[in-house]
Amino acid sequence: MRKWSVCLLFVIAITVFSAAWCFSQPVPIGIPKINIGVTEAKTPQDVALSLQIIFLLTILTLVPSIIMMTTSFIRIVIVLSFIKQALATQQAPPQQVIVGLALFITFFIMAPTITKINETAFQPYLAGKMNFQETLQKASMPLREFMFKQTREKDIALFVDLSKMPRPKTKKDVATYVLIPAFMISELTSAFWMGILLFVPFLMIDMIVASVLMSMGMIMLPPAMISLPFKILLFVMVDGWNLLIHSLVASFH
């Protein structure tokens, strides 16, 4: 036992000395040093730059809301939630998967708009060919064009009347703060129409199963428990995810 204790102490001593020697050696990998400082703005250019930084930080905090309000995310996530409820699978797929899938489909649909914003606004701004105000104006044009294609005139007229603004003659006369809520209402309407179409076949299965159970006298047996495998089987046999995603993407063109 004493020999094993001596050997154990010897191994521990070697390990400690080896670790100390390794940490004492200079590390060849450089670690960057970050300094964040706040100094007094002495020129108008410094003040303008500070305001732009504050504005950009504010925009970054509002990115989730901007994605939901001005892109195809609203329609996609609502339709995917409807199909989950129609199948009556409360935990499959999880809500994180639904949101993640909706985000990636949104990026896929918005790719042409994002590319146009990058080419017409972001890259010229980085090259110093535009100031910040011109960049925001140029960046909003492709996004407004996308929203106008998906927004009903009825919804735009509603918010124009509520805002008490003069009747716009062209699309340029419609303010962005009027266009965004009109676009959201139109997206909600389109999503609910698609949700109704999704519910109909699964509702028929529920009604058939309920009728069969009542005719057999099995009133105490929940119809949803029996109809769930049939709804999942139907959805898989018709390649439901492929059809659903194809319909969602095609609805924006």
Side-chain angles (χ1 to χ4, degrees), residues 87 202 230-241:
L87 288 170
F202 300 111
F230 292 100
K231 290 191 287 186
I232 296 177
L233 180 62
L234 174 65
F235 190 72
V236 173
M237 288 183 63
V238 300
D239 200 2
W241 288 113

Side-chain angles (χ1 to χ4, degrees), residues 11 26 47 49 57 60 62 67 90 101 106 116 145 178-179 188 201-202 204 206 232 240 244 246:
V11 171
V47 175
L49 181 60
L57 291 176
L60 288 176
L62 298 176
I67 292 177
Q90 301 300 326
L101 180 59
T106 300
K116 191 178 297 184
E145 182 181 354
V178 172
L179 177 60
L188 289 172
F202 300 111
M204 296 297 296
D206 287 332
I232 296 177
L244 179 61
H246 180 269

